[in-house]
Structures are given as C-alpha cells and as structure tokens.
Amino acid sequence: AFYRGFLHLLKKGLLISLTIFLGVFITVTIMNRTVRVGFGFSEAQLDATIENQIDRTIDLYIRENPSVRHLPYFEREAAVEWLYEELVEEFGLNLPKFQRHLLWTLKALKLDWGRLRVGEVNPFPVIGWRPVKFDLNQELLLSYLPNTMLLAGSAFFLVFMFGLPLSLMLARNYGKWFDRVISFFSPLSSIPSWVIGILLIWLFAFELGILPAGRMYDSMPPETRWGYIPVILKHMALPVFSIALSLFFQLVYSWRTFFITFSSEDYVELGKAKGLSNRILERKYILRPSLAYIITSFSLLFVSFWQMTIALEVVFNWPGLGWLYVVKGLPNLWGENIYPGDLLISITLVVMFAYLMGAVVLLLDFVYVLVDPRVTIGHKDVTLRLKRRRQALWKSIKEIFHRREPRQSIVHRWQKPDVDRVNNNNKFNNGQFRLLRAQLWRGIKNMAREIRRYPSAIIGFIIILLLILGSLYAVIFLPYEKIGGDWERSNLSGQSRIPQLAKPAWVNWFREKDYLSILELNSEEGEGEKIITPVSEDVDKISITFNFDYDYVDFPKEVFLYFNTKYVDKRPFASVLWKTPDGREIELKALAVGTDAKYDFEESIPANNLLTDDFKFEMWFDPLDTSFHAFHDLLFANPESDQAEILPGQYQLVIEGVTFEADRDLDADLVILGQVYGVAGTDFYRRDLVVPLLWGIPYALLIGLLGALSTTIISMIFAATGVWFGGWMDNLVQRLIDVNLVLPILAIAVMAYAFLDIDIVTILVVYIILSAFGTPTKNFRAAFLQIKEAPYIEAAKAYGASNMRIILRYMVPRLIPVLIPQLVILIPSFVFLEATLGFFNIKMIYPTWGTVIYQATMHSGLFFSRYWVLQPIVLLLLTGLGFSLFGFALERILNPRLKSE
C-alpha cells in the first residue's frame, strides 16, 4: 500500500510540476508581449524589465565597490561594459525568443534571478531600521513571507477551531434561532477581506480609536524584544479579524448544510435507533464520512488566501507578500505615475504561490486516503471498475452515433410525406407542449406559495427587485453620453459650484440643525441689489449688495466670489466689504478685476487684525494651521464665544466697483458651499456620487448572475462526469482543476492589465470561465465521491440506467441542496469581483462601485468623507444580502429534509 501510494503521489507530483512549468512559461511569454510606449516606439515588457534591472545592478555594483568607482574613466567604462555583456549573456538577452523565455522560466521556477538587484526595500517599517538591498531570490521572499503567514495562519486557525464545532451544532439544531442568525450572516463571508478591513478601520480606528489603522509596529520600537509581542498582536487584530470574517460564515454555512444533508443517511438513522449519543453520531457517522469535503473546502480556501489578502495588506500597510506584490511589483497602480513597477517581483511571487498551491493540491489526494476508507490507491478492483466505466463510456458514444438516421436517397427525399402522420405528430406535440406549460405554471404557483411562507425570501426578493429597478433607471435616465465626460474628468478646474467631499443631503433628516448645501447669489440674475451711478463720461460706480441668512450647524467649507466684467483696456476696480449680523464691518482686499476673475477669500481676509480686535478668536483659531478652521470661518464666527461657534443672522456682502471705460459693466456671483449635496454626496472631484452608485447596479447583477450560474452548472456537470467515468475522464477534469488551482489567475490578470493594458472585459470573461474549473469543481468532486457509492446509484445501474441518466437524474440532483449555498456564496463573490478589480485600478468604461472605492481609498476617503467609501460598500452588502436571503429560503423549499412544517 505504501508503494502504491508513493507511485500515485509521484505521478500526481509530476503532473502538477508540469502544470506549473507550462503555466509559468505561458505567463512569461505573455508578459514579454510587445506594447507601445509612446511616440511610435514599442518594446517587449520583460526584455525591458531585465535590461533595467541589469542597469540598476551595475549602478549598485559601482556604488558599493570603491575600487571600481575610483578607477580611471576608460578602465571603469571597460569594467562596466564587461559586466554588462556578462549579465546580458547570463540572462539570455542575446538568445532567440523561445530559448530566452525557457531560460527565464527556469530562473523563475528556481526563485533565483542571480545577481539582479531589486533596490531598497524595507520589510520592517520601523523608525531606525534601514532599508535592505535584496537580490531577486529567496532572500527577498522569505523576508515578507512570515508576515503574510502570520496573518493567514492565525485567521485560518481561528476559523477551523471555532467553525467546525459550530457547524455540527447548527446541523443538530437546524431551524433554531441561532441557526437562523448564522445563516443570516452568511453573506458577510462573501465580502472580500479588504472591504471588511476598511469597515473595521473606520469603526475601531477612526470612530472608537482603540486599535491602530495599519502597519505592523508602532512608530517607536519597544524597549525589549518581548515588547514586540503585544505590539504585533495589537496591529494584527484588525487584519486577522477581517480575514476570519471573510471566511467564517461561508465555511460554517457550507459545512452545516453538508452535515444536514448527510445526517439523514440510513446508517445515521440506524445509529440513532441503536441509541448512540449525539457526540458519537457526529464524530463517527457524520463528520468522518464528510471529512473529504470539509478538508477540500478548507484547504482550497487556504491555498488561495493570498489572493484575498493582497489588497488587505495594502489597506493595512502590512509588510507581507501582498504589499510587496502591489506596491513594489505593479506599476503606477496607486496613481504615483513615477514608479514603473518590477515585473520580475510579480512573476517571482506568482511562482512561489503556485508552488504552495500545488503542494496542497498534491497532499489532498493523500489526505483522502487517510480520512476516507472508501478511497483506495492503485487497487486492482479500482482499476477493473475504471476499465468497465471506460468501456461503458465508449459504448454510450457509439450509441449516440448509431442513433443517426440512415442517409436517404435523392428520390426518397422528394417523396411526398405522409400528411396524416405529420398532422398526428403536430397534434401530439401541441398537446405535450400544453401539458408542459400547465405543469410549469403549476410549479411556479407552488413555488410562489412556498416563498410567501418565508419573510427572509420576501425581503431578499424586494432587495433584488429594487436593484433591478435601479439598474433600469441608470440605463434609461442616466445615459453615459451625458454623464460620461463629467465622470471621466479627474482634475479640478473652472468655477467651483458643487461642494467637495460632501455628505448626502439626507443626513439633515437626522439633525436638529441643518448642514448647508449650496448658497448662490448672482447679480446678473437679480439676486442681489445692484446700483450703477455715473461719475463721468467714462467712469461709472457700481454697487452690488448681497444679503443672505446663515443659520446652519457648521461653518461653510468654501466661499467663492466670481466677477464677470466687460472692458477693453482698463480693468475695473472693486473693493469688498463684509458685514456681520452684530454690525461689524470687515474690509477685505481690494483688487483690479479681470474677465471671469476669481476672488480669493482666504488671502483677502485680514486675519491678524481680526485676531487682534477679538482676542477670543485666538483661543480656537491658529493662522499657521488651517486644517481645522479656514480663514473664512472668522467671517461667520461669534466674537463673544471662546469656542468656534456660528453667529447666526443676516450677513451682507457689499462690492463697490468702478469702471473706467464707457458702457462697461461689472457683475458678481457669490457661491458658498457647505457640507451636503444631493442624494449620495460628492467625491474629491466634486462629482455627484449617485451616478456611479446607480451605474454599478447593472454591472453587479450581470457579473454576479452570469458568473455564478455558469460557474456552478459547468463545475457540477464536469465534476459528476469525472467521478462517474473515472480514468482519463477524471484525470482530465482534475488536470483542468489543477491548472486553475495552481496558477493564481487573479494575480496574473492584474499583472497583465498593469503591464500590458489588457481590456477588463477580457479579464472578466477569462476569469469566470476558469473559475468553473476551480474550487467549485473540486468541492463538488469531493461530494460526488461520497454519492457514487450510494445504494440508489447501485440500484440505477442494476436496472440498466445509462451513464448520462445516472449523472443528470441521480447524481446532480442529489447535490441541489449544496448547490443553493454554492450560489449564495458565488453570486456575491462575483459581484465583489468587479469591486476587487476596481480596487486594483482596473477600470470599467462606465463608473462602477469598484472605481468609487478605489478613488476614495486613494484620496483618504475614510478620513475626509466616509460616505464616499461606505456607500458603495453598503450597496455591495445589500446585493449580497438580497441574494443570500432569497437563496436561504430556496434551500429550505427545494430540500425536503430541510423543509419546515
């Protein structure tokens, strides 16, 4: 048995190694694609990266070797040229493309790029610790790997230790209130860990201030080495909790459903009849036969953890492999427009995790043998059974071809058909169609009647209906031709008439005193008192007075005054006077006004004079630090208060202008911007956020539904086919699974977009298709291994049922109860896929939720405008919640064992 097991694992290991080799070779070939770099020039990406690394290595070599640096010029140039030619030959830049790619693949597989240097990287961002110059080999990776494993290992340990007992308890107490609570929170696990991390940072770091928002250490190192333990534990609390939340409810919900499904097997009922305790039944009769599925689902999540934590480490600034991949590997991902990225770091990280994932996939087969006695390796009975099923498959294929009608002669084709027989067939077909239609309608009515029994299904259906209506509204009433140009604008220019980083206007519903939105007064539209007094033939005196009431809860965020003048040579002159409700008059800066001039309020306010006249202003206003209070706050402040307090009442702005040419004019526009705007607020670029929030709905529904349905159906059919026929068919399915599991598709897609600018639609389509041969197929295969030996399958074979009938009528329907939680998990997961891609700055043509979250993160949205970040996240949560509640009700309706009385 040991010998057979060793041969099996050796064969499996060789296949996985071949998969990794081919995958890395294809990745290297793709990443060396020639792209345009501007001005009509093109270059191969990987060639250019290695050439840049060679130049960097030579510069560091000269800098670190004084003996070379102090050589005479010609001798130093000769040494540099010799080193350059040696490195070019070492890395195959002089070889043909195929040999060059093969050489780079071997170097990547060895995780060793020789003498190439990655520059200065600091894996421990602590004050006083100097950055380190790493070679591009294992030393660099091993400096960051422990930090990532610390997060992931802690989170998965907590999930497994608490999740498995909780799943068994929920299966034993199905339908009780705590089971419903866990099921209600199952959508939480569809949220990526980086989204949960943003929410936790907002709550525990910004609102409560009890945990740090990021990094691995404090700014100052502790006094002793033992002092690092509480510091690291404090900093890893939020990221570990984020990973655990993104996995816990998903695994518990899936395991609990699987335990419920198999807790009604005959052998379990027999154990209950014998009087066995619940503990023995759960451990020996339910848990042990299900361990293959449990271990498979848990292990596959573990090997793919790093793809989920790439963005998480960036959110928390945690010095792990994800941080290294994004910050040092990818170019210009966070808008810096300077750092070109390091393609070799990205490829090396992809290879390293391919090794990790391949090792776990290899060990899974060995674990199956340990935990499931029904699975054997290399046994003669298994070989004979696989041979018989191969023969049965070949027989089924021949039957398909033999069912074809014989070819008719030309004369027979022109013979007149039997009219009576055709009419009878049509009548039969019409009657059969009416019968099927009646049965379908009866099934829909029964389904609707059952759904009405579950309030959760009604709530989920209402949420889904609102999402559909929102998507229709966006497509019909917000055409991209009208809003696209404004949304694509990424700079602040022109006259500002919309508040920046404003809250939604509905926040005023929950306040006694409102925030200001927009207060605008325009003299051209008669909203101010304008008096023109001729002084001479060429000189006119123009007086403009704006009166307005200000009684809001906070100071205005911005105050603008725009002038619109008409002149030829001589610019008008204007003086500005500010009058407060208590009778004070504040003279602001006078200036010569040009065409469409913007008056700078912040520079025109005599702050020093105001602080001198009203000494209480000095108690809360600092002219050297305007991060909390701007200069214009002094115009609205109460001089009798020792705190920053609004003086309510009527304010007056008086503009005294003089024109120096005949028939010239002067108008003004006063714009005061507050803290709220519209239904959803605004972003950093003053754009209305309701547009991307609504446009994100159709994309979320399209990606979620199509991705989840196609992935689940394809994975179930392929898994059942592979398990049933075995042999080369099962090997083919497993090889497709291994390709998907071993190669990190998401990381490769992000890398391809960052370096090659591949279209996001292509990335989404390829990702969804490949997902069908990933974790879902592996999970279904583990479940079908249990089902294929069931008594009713043996009975179906005994009465001569065909292979396809057994697969489609007996095996696949058996897992419909597992299919529902799979859809519950996959639909929100694919909805969050676009948001995750958007977080990596992979943009859609249209504004979406992921784009909003990315831009908000780039501009510190949690600190300056939490609604900018939280609103798209809330919509993502509602989408996942709606489908999950509806799916939870369908699970109980479709599964007779779970159906409540």
Side-chain angles (χ1 to χ4, degrees):
F2 175 81
Y3 177 72
R4 291 195 300 267
F6 175 78
L7 289 181
H8 175 78
L9 291 179
L10 179 62
K11 180 181 177 181
K12 183 87 170 182
L14 291 175
L15 290 174
I16 292 178
S17 300
L18 180 61
T19 301
I20 294 176
F21 175 80
L22 293 177
V24 175
F25 180 79
I26 294 172
T27 302
V28 168
T29 303
I30 293 175
M31 296 313 300
N32 201 35
R33 172 184 168 190
T34 302
V35 296
R36 295 178 60 89
V37 294
F39 303 104
F41 296 98
S42 301
E43 65 180 12
Q45 281 292 312
L46 198 51
D47 287 346
T49 298
I50 293 182
E51 289 177 359
N52 293 333
Q53 290 283 6
I54 290 176
D55 295 337
R56 182 188 300 175
T57 302
I58 293 175
D59 292 340
L60 291 174
Y61 173 76
I62 296 174
R63 195 183 312 165
E64 296 172 356
N65 292 273
S67 59
V68 177
R69 189 170 62 249
H70 293 97
L71 286 174
Y73 175 78
F74 291 104
E75 294 183 12
R76 186 173 69 249
E77 289 297 316
V80 169
E81 183 67 23
W82 173 81
L83 179 60
Y84 177 80
E85 292 178 356
E86 188 179 52
L87 290 174
V88 166
E89 183 177 357
E90 179 182 347
F91 291 95
L93 291 176
N94 54 351
L95 295 176
K97 232 174 190 180
F98 179 81
Q99 291 91 326
R100 195 187 321 159
H101 293 170
L102 186 62
L103 176 64
W104 292 343
T105 300
L106 295 177
K107 288 183 175 296
L109 291 173
K110 291 189 296 182
L111 302 177
D112 189 356
W113 291 91
R115 290 177 285 178
L116 294 188
R117 306 295 290 272
V118 73
E120 295 184 348
V121 179
N122 186 2
F124 308 102
V126 181
I127 294 178
W129 292 34
R130 296 183 178 180
V132 183
K133 296 182 179 67
F134 287 103
D135 294 339
L136 279 173
N137 52 25
Q138 297 92 334
E139 179 186 1
L140 173 65
L141 300 178
L142 293 178
S143 299
Y144 289 85
L145 177 61
N147 302 336
T148 297
M149 296 302 296
L150 179 62
L151 287 184
S154 302
F156 275 82
F157 176 78
L158 294 176
V159 169
F160 190 81
M161 292 302 296
F162 291 98
L164 194 59
L166 181 60
S167 302
L168 288 170
M169 185 191 71
L170 294 178
R172 187 172 65 250
N173 299 277
Y174 173 76
K176 295 186 178 180
W177 66 269
F178 45 86
D179 176 62
R180 296 176 183 270
V181 169
I182 295 296
S183 300
F184 180 81
F185 281 106
S186 61
L188 192 63
S189 291
S190 64
I191 309 172
S193 56
W194 62 269
V195 176
I196 299 177
I198 292 175
L199 295 175
L200 295 181
I201 289 175
W202 163 69
L203 179 60
F204 291 99
F206 290 165
E207 294 294 332
L208 302 178
I210 59 178
L211 289 173
R215 303 208 306 170
M216 189 174 179
Y217 303 97
D218 291 334
S219 298
M220 298 300 296
E223 297 179 356
T224 63
R225 289 190 175 183
W226 293 105
Y228 279 104
I229 296 178
V231 172
I232 294 176
L233 290 177
K234 178 180 64 175
H235 281 264
M236 66 184 292
L238 290 183
V240 167
F241 196 43
S242 302
I243 300 174
L245 280 180
S246 67
L247 301 172
F248 184 78
F249 294 103
Q250 169 186 342
L251 285 174
V252 169
Y253 183 69
S254 179
W255 291 348
R256 156 260 195 196
T257 304
F258 199 83
F259 290 150
I260 292 174
T261 303
F262 283 88
S263 62
S264 300
E265 296 289 346
D266 295 336
Y267 54 84
V268 178
E269 297 295 336
L270 179 60
K272 292 179 182 179
K274 291 173 61 177
L276 298 178
S277 64
N278 290 331
R279 183 182 181 86
I280 295 178
L281 286 173
E282 290 175 354
R283 188 177 72 250
K284 293 186 175 181
Y285 291 82
I286 298 177
L287 178 59
R288 189 175 180 184
S290 307
L291 274 180
Y293 177 82
I294 301 301
I295 294 175
T296 299
S297 59
F298 184 81
S299 301
L300 294 181
L301 280 176
F302 183 75
V303 298
S304 60
F305 75 89
W306 73 280
Q307 295 196 81
M308 298 181 289
T309 57
I310 286 178
L312 177 81
E313 292 183 353
V314 176
V315 168
F316 285 97
N317 197 20
W318 183 269
L321 292 176
W323 181 89
L324 179 66
Y325 178 79
V326 174
V327 177
K328 292 298 180 182
L330 301 179
N332 307 328
L333 193 67
W334 302 103
E336 68 276 8
N337 296 323
I338 297 176
Y339 181 64
D342 199 318
L343 185 55
L344 296 183
I345 292 180
S346 302
I347 293 177
T348 304
L349 288 171
V350 167
V351 172
M352 180 176 180
F353 283 103
Y355 282 149
L356 175 63
M357 298 163 75
V360 176
V361 170
L362 175 63
L363 292 178
L364 275 177
D365 280 0
F366 183 72
V367 172
Y368 289 154
V369 180
L370 297 180
V371 301
D372 194 343
R374 292 171 293 183
V375 180
T376 57
I377 299 177
H379 198 274
K380 293 182 179 180
D381 294 339
V382 177
T383 305
L384 181 61
R385 186 162 61 249
L386 296 181
K387 181 178 180 180
R388 290 175 179 175
R389 288 181 180 171
R390 285 196 298 267
Q391 294 173 352
L393 175 63
W394 177 245
K395 182 178 179 181
S396 300
I397 295 175
K398 290 195 296 183
E399 289 177 356
I400 294 175
F401 285 98
H402 282 304
R403 288 173 185 171
R404 293 181 178 178
E405 295 291 336
R407 297 189 61 181
Q408 298 177 348
S409 63
I410 298 179
V411 177
H412 183 70
R413 289 180 184 179
W414 284 100
Q415 289 180 356
K416 186 177 180 180
D418 190 346
V419 179
D420 294 335
R421 185 174 60 190
V422 171
N423 291 335
N424 291 332
N425 289 336
N426 289 336
K427 290 180 182 179
F428 174 77
N429 292 335
N430 292 334
Q432 188 180 36
F433 174 75
R434 285 195 298 269
L435 178 61
L436 291 176
R437 184 176 60 185
Q439 292 177 348
L440 178 61
W441 179 246
R442 192 181 308 112
I444 293 175
K445 290 194 297 183
N446 294 335
M447 180 74 69
R449 190 182 304 111
E450 291 290 334
I451 288 176
R452 286 199 298 268
R453 298 175 52 194
Y454 300 98
S456 60
I458 298 175
I459 296 175
F461 180 77
I462 292 174
I463 294 176
I464 296 173
L465 181 61
L466 291 177
L467 292 173
I468 295 174
L469 294 177
S471 62
L472 292 176
Y473 178 85
V475 174
I476 297 174
F477 296 101
L478 293 175
Y480 183 74
E481 290 76 11
K482 294 182 180 180
I483 54 94
D486 179 69
W487 180 255
E488 288 298 324
R489 177 171 54 87
S490 59
N491 53 19
L492 300 175
S493 60
Q495 297 182 354
S496 300
R497 301 181 183 275
I498 297 178
Q500 184 183 24
L501 299 174
K503 304 178 181 68
W506 48 261
V507 301
N508 283 334
W509 300 349
F510 308 97
R511 304 189 61 88
E512 294 182 2
K513 213 170 188 179
D514 291 347
Y515 284 114
L516 171 67
S517 179
I518 300 175
L519 197 160
E520 183 174 2
L521 299 172
N522 194 326
S523 63
E524 288 184 289
E525 298 179 1
E527 296 174 342
E529 183 181 355
K530 180 177 179 181
I531 301 175
I532 302 177
T533 304
V535 177
S536 64
E537 182 178 354
D538 295 332
V539 178
D540 290 334
K541 182 179 180 181
I542 301 176
S543 176
I544 301 175
T545 303
F546 292 124
N547 296 295
F548 62 92
D549 292 324
Y550 195 91
D551 188 13
Y552 296 96
V553 68
D554 200 357
F555 295 98
K557 292 184 66 174
E558 297 169 299
V559 180
F560 299 102
L561 180 62
Y562 303 107
F563 289 103
N564 184 15
T565 61
K566 296 179 182 179
Y567 70 95
V568 177
D569 296 321
K570 298 179 180 180
R571 291 187 298 175
F573 185 84
S575 60
V576 182
L577 180 66
W578 183 271
K579 295 182 179 181
T580 62
D582 57 358
R584 290 177 296 128
E585 295 184 357
I586 304 173
E587 292 186 5
L588 306 182
K589 182 179 179 181
L591 77 162
V593 183
T595 304
D596 296 330
K598 177 181 178 181
Y599 185 77
D600 193 342
F601 255 90
E602 306 304 313
E603 294 292 333
S604 304
I605 297 173
N608 294 329
N609 296 338
L610 294 175
L611 293 175
T612 302
D613 296 341
D614 300 305
F615 67 92
K616 290 189 176 181
F617 284 163
E618 297 180 350
M619 302 179 68
W620 57 269
F621 183 80
D622 184 3
L624 300 179
D625 184 10
T626 58
S627 58
F628 295 99
H629 292 284
F631 283 104
H632 67 258
D633 291 357
L634 297 173
L635 302 179
F636 294 88
N638 185 357
E640 302 299 327
S641 175
D642 55 1
Q643 300 180 12
E645 182 180 303
I646 297 289
L647 177 63
Q650 188 178 69
Y651 289 83
Q652 193 176 76
L653 180 67
V654 180
I655 302 171
E656 299 290 345
V658 179
T659 60
F660 303 100
E661 295 175 338
D663 298 327
R664 301 308 173 195
D665 200 359
L666 171 66
D667 284 292
D669 186 8
L670 175 64
V671 180
I672 302 177
L673 303 178
Q675 291 78 21
V676 298
Y677 180 84
V679 178
T682 61
D683 64 359
F684 180 79
Y685 302 107
R686 306 181 189 274
R687 299 173 297 195
D688 192 351
L689 288 176
V690 75
V691 173
L693 295 182
L694 288 176
W695 263 106
I697 299 176
Y699 280 102
L701 295 179
L702 182 65
I703 295 173
L705 288 173
L706 292 182
L709 288 175
S710 58
T711 298
T712 303
I713 294 173
I714 294 174
S715 60
M716 283 191 71
I717 293 177
F718 270 88
T721 303
V723 168
W724 178 251
F725 289 108
W728 66 268
M729 178 66 71
D730 190 37
N731 286 330
L732 176 62
V733 173
Q734 292 190 69
R735 296 294 74 76
L736 293 175
I737 295 173
D738 293 342
V739 169
N740 183 273
L741 295 179
V742 170
L743 298 180
I745 304 301
L746 179 61
I748 294 175
V750 173
M751 186 170 59
Y753 179 87
F755 287 98
L756 305 179
D757 199 20
I758 295 179
D759 185 66
I760 186 175
V761 177
T762 303
I763 292 176
L764 284 172
V765 171
V766 173
Y767 186 89
I768 290 174
I769 293 175
L770 292 178
S771 295
F773 299 99
T775 302
T777 305
K778 196 75 172 179
N779 290 335
F780 285 133
R781 181 178 179 273
F784 282 128
L785 287 173
Q786 315 292 326
I787 294 174
K788 72 174 183 177
E789 304 297 339
Y792 64 90
I793 299 294
E794 298 296 333
K797 291 191 295 184
Y799 72 73
S802 64
N803 293 321
M804 290 296 105
R805 180 179 179 85
I806 293 176
I807 293 174
L808 297 179
R809 296 289 185 91
Y810 297 98
M811 295 181 67
V812 172
R814 181 68 175 84
L815 282 188
I816 285 181
V818 182
L819 173 65
I820 298 301
Q822 185 72 26
L823 285 174
V824 169
I825 295 169
L826 283 181
I827 289 179
S829 298
F830 278 101
V831 169
F832 278 102
L833 172 63
E834 188 278 326
T836 302
L837 295 177
F839 185 81
F840 288 114
N841 198 21
I842 301 180
K843 299 178 181 178
M844 286 277 193
I845 301 176
Y846 295 86
T848 59
W849 297 338
T851 305
V852 175
I853 297 173
Y854 166 77
Q855 294 183 350
T857 306
M858 285 302 304
H859 294 93
S860 303
L862 274 179
F863 184 79
F864 294 106
S865 177
R866 66 194 65 175
Y867 296 94
W868 189 9
V869 185
L870 297 181
Q871 286 182 133
I873 292 178
V874 168
L875 287 177
L876 288 170
L877 295 176
L878 284 177
T879 304
L881 179 64
F883 282 102
S884 298
L885 291 178
F886 195 70
F888 173 68
L890 287 180
E891 176 197 14
R892 289 182 287 178
I893 293 172
L894 296 177
N895 191 351
R897 298 179 179 179
L898 307 180
K899 192 173 180 180
S900 58
E901 297 297 335

